Amino acid sequence: MVSKQEQRWVILGLLLLATLWLSPVLFPPDGQALGGLDSRGQFYVWLEFVRESVLNGRVPFWNAALFGGYPFLSDPQIAFFYPVTWLTLLLPTGMAISWHIVIHLTIAGSGMYFFVRKLDGHPIGALLAALTFAFSGYASARIYAGHIGFLATNSWLPLMLLATVWASERKTIWAAILAGFPFGMAILAGNPTSLLYSCVIWGAFVLYWQWQDESKTAVLRQFLIAGLIGLLLSGVQLLPFLQFSTLSTRAGEPSFEFASAFSLPPAHLLTLLVPEFFGEPTRAGYWSVPNFEELTYYAGVLPLLGLILAFKRPSRHVWFYLSLIAFGILLALGSYGFLFRWIFTAVPPFRVVRAPARATFLYTFAIAALLGEAVTIWLRHPRRQAAISGWMRWILGGTAVIGLTTMSATGAVFAAVHPTDTSGRLWHQLGGWGLATGLLLVGGLLLWQLFKQREIKRWLVVGLAIVILADLWVFGSKFARLSPMTPPQLWTDVAQLMGDTNGRVLPWGISIFDQNGAEQVGVSSVFGYNPLEIGANNAFAASVPDPRSSAFDILGASHVVSQVDLGQFGDGERPLTLVAQQNGTFIYERSRVLPIVRLVDTVEIIPDEAVATARVHAPDFDAETAVIFPEAPACPLNATNSVPGTASVIAAGNGYWDIQTESSTPALLIVSETAYPGWRVWINGNKAEWQTAYTAVRAVCVPAGTHTVEWRFQPAVFWQGGLLSLLVLGLMSIALTRERRKERNN
């Protein structure tokens, strides 16, 4: 039983350690933030948009600046409904990102400590496990990449397991309801891939706990209730995400090549002992397969000693953790192994998450918990002084011999393969082996002394904690660095050279990490950077890989921007015209630009999307006067081959359009913004039904005469999900009251 005083000291201690580790980046100057490409390319831009919208009194359901408009909050990675994200409303965005990381390192470490203790772990073992899990190479690599959602989601895993054990012991429905809280938080934290691997561990643990617990039915019942409650608690985000995912590019049938991208090469198993064997991207350089952060799951050398010690006297917990390690590594091999191919075929969720190397997170979690279990086993061994000495002599002697032999072999192999190479890689690898050997020997000696003592010496515990922190912090501290979050030079040039424009720009050949910079400078773009894109919109925009494509006419692209000369597109029927060039930025004007808001009076009915898209590119199709619908429009049209009328924008913004139309006959109002459920339209205050045009944008029938047309993005799915979340929060309040009353009575 962990006392409240112990709980407070653990949480405070881990908070102080996380703050100390990240102290250089906790108060970044304006325009900088913690993290790399994903921070700059996604999270910083997203959080700035959230901050601006909320502080101006708007809920940012829709973002009109990117992808020709998209359902912003339906993307779970925004994590708008996750309480920690609200730091953005209180702090500058860069500072909020840093403290977001600090909070989740604290949650991860504290959760691991309490989980190990709940499984009857010794406080020293729990402490070492907590430090390992919180400050692992997995965490530092995610910080380096800017994978904020990964870290946030996985930090709740130990608490999910802890809550399962607690609810199984309590055996009440109220306890099961409360046990769903960490799972709900993990969902709201926003990263589906991380959630999948956390759920793999959670599900495996439930099976294991059910097998060893006397009340097997109670364990399963509590788990199912907790899982359901977690899903309902996250309903405000989960329902919109499920809707979004069915319409996204991931909804199609993915290939094995897509799903297995970023598999863990077998050679990279060396990095679990020598994390920089293939270099690192900040100082020494990196010389293996891309990319470093997806292949980095170092947990330190002391847990490897724990693994060896656990083998000597394995408990049931040990076998469970070893099974997780084996399964995770085999799955992480992806295309290099057999397991992921089988899982890809048998389990549909694994078809859309890609990056099998992320399954190595199972190793990071299990090896940390295994260290806690190994220390617990030996500290509670009745004759540990006699039992440990011989075993530790073999371990430390073998470590010294293997370490020296490996360094010699590394030098010999390197000299044979690179006889004239002076790049420094050899010394880098030798240094890595030397450091690993030294840490193993120092950590082993400290453990040996700890187990030999009749009474635990505090200095030994402090020494072991320092070994873990020194090991993981030396490796990870260089990845906690600030990066500029200012817009890429390309977009600064575009904003300066183009000025105000009512059209959209078409980025061509630009890095995905730079795409969202358009929003930072107030430019609307046909594209953007987001792992989830609306499938119909993406297919329509990519239907012909040419910036002169008719699809871009319909999407309202007035200019093409690039960082290379696009002179090859300067001829043909509708050539691009270079209008500005600066700092390697090229801006071209497109020959035909259709207004984003316009009237047409001719319709073609083509139900098949592929055929409809092909028709758009046909030479005899005129998108200026005709529209393609999958079914007949709701109003009669009398095409006269004359000007169908005019449409002018009164007001527009994120999630709304106010348009005035004037026509002598009924017409179709085209709004070249993404068609998505949740949009509502009124004509002169009367609700109307809109239809999808050209497979990707919106249209509505307007009668003859002058009319005011109002479009509003009012997605009911958020209110439905929000109602579920509120109901569950109320239920949890009742459950908390009941459980506290029961505890007081006992």
Side-chain angles (χ1 to χ4, degrees), residues 13-60:
L14 284 162
L15 177 60
L16 290 175
L17 286 173
T19 303
L20 176 63
W21 186 41
L22 296 179
S23 57
V25 297
L26 290 182
F27 301 97
D30 290 342
Q32 293 192 10
L34 178 63
L37 290 176
D38 270 24
S39 281
R40 179 174 68 83
Q42 290 188 129
F43 288 102
Y44 188 86
V45 180
W46 290 343
L47 294 175
E48 282 279 278
F49 181 64
V50 166
R51 177 182 175 84
E52 178 188 356
S53 299
V54 174
L55 293 182
N56 283 290
R58 301 191 312 271
V59 179

Side-chain angles (χ1 to χ4, degrees), residues 363-608:
Y363 163 84
T364 303
F365 167 80
I367 199 74
L370 185 61
L371 174 61
E373 178 66 11
V375 171
T376 297
I377 290 171
W378 282 100
L379 284 177
R380 292 177 177 164
H381 191 288
R383 298 188 303 276
R384 65 173 184 262
Q385 289 177 297
I388 196 66
S389 295
W391 187 236
M392 289 303 297
R393 288 191 186 97
W394 277 104
I395 292 174
L396 297 180
T399 295
V401 171
I402 293 172
L404 291 173
T405 303
T406 302
M407 285 190 283
S408 300
T410 299
V413 171
F414 195 94
V417 177
H418 307 285
T420 61
D421 199 307
T422 59
S423 66
R425 292 185 184 180
L426 171 61
W427 297 111
H428 186 81
Q429 291 177 339
L430 289 177
W433 283 116
L435 181 61
T437 302
L439 287 168
L440 280 168
L441 291 173
V442 172
L445 287 170
L446 289 171
L447 281 174
W448 188 1
Q449 290 301 311
L450 178 71
F451 298 147
K452 283 175 62 177
Q453 303 298 320
R454 290 183 178 274
E455 295 183 3
I456 294 173
K457 305 294 184 182
R458 185 173 299 178
W459 69 269
L460 290 172
V461 179
V462 173
L464 286 166
I466 290 174
V467 167
I468 289 177
L469 293 177
D471 185 5
L472 296 176
W473 285 11
V474 166
F475 170 69
S477 293
K478 55 183 164 292
F479 302 124
R481 86 277 191 239
L482 297 174
S483 300
M485 298 291 141
T486 51
Q489 184 64 47
L490 164 80
W491 292 112
T492 303
D493 292 339
V494 168
Q496 179 183 345
L497 296 173
M498 287 184 59
D500 294 333
T501 176
N502 293 325
R504 298 191 180 105
V505 299
L506 170 60
W508 199 259
I510 294 172
S511 166
I512 59 171
F513 297 106
D514 291 341
Q515 294 280 4
N516 289 350
E519 181 180 351
Q520 289 181 281
V521 298
V523 173
S524 295
S525 175
V526 172
F527 295 135
Y529 174 35
N530 194 316
L532 285 175
E533 300 179 28
I534 297 173
N537 185 288
N538 181 274
F540 184 67
S543 54
V544 172
D546 190 318
R548 299 165 297 185
S549 163
S550 296
F552 298 126
D553 299 344
I554 293 169
L555 293 174
S558 60
H559 293 80
V560 179
V561 300
S562 178
Q563 293 176 303
V564 296
D565 187 351
L566 299 180
Q568 70 271 32
F569 300 114
D571 54 13
E573 185 177 341
R574 290 183 282 132
L576 302 183
T577 303
L578 181 65
V579 293
Q581 179 182 352
Q582 177 176 290
N583 299 324
T585 298
F586 297 82
I587 301 179
Y588 295 86
E589 188 173 32
R590 301 184 71 253
S591 295
R592 184 170 74 171
V593 181
L594 298 179
I596 293 177
V597 172
R598 56 197 172 86
L599 293 179
V600 299
D601 60 4
T602 302
V603 63
E604 295 186 20
I605 310 301
I606 305 178
D608 185 270

Side-chain angles (χ1 to χ4, degrees), residues 297-322:
Y297 296 87
Y298 182 61
V301 297
L302 199 61
L304 297 176
L305 273 177
L307 186 151
I308 297 171
L309 289 169
F311 261 122
K312 180 67 174 175
R313 297 189 62 82
S315 64
R316 289 182 177 181
H317 296 342
V318 167
W319 290 118
F320 171 69
Y321 295 136
L322 290 175

Side-chain angles (χ1 to χ4, degrees), residues 643-655:
V643 177
T646 60
S648 55
V649 177
I650 302 171
N654 292 304

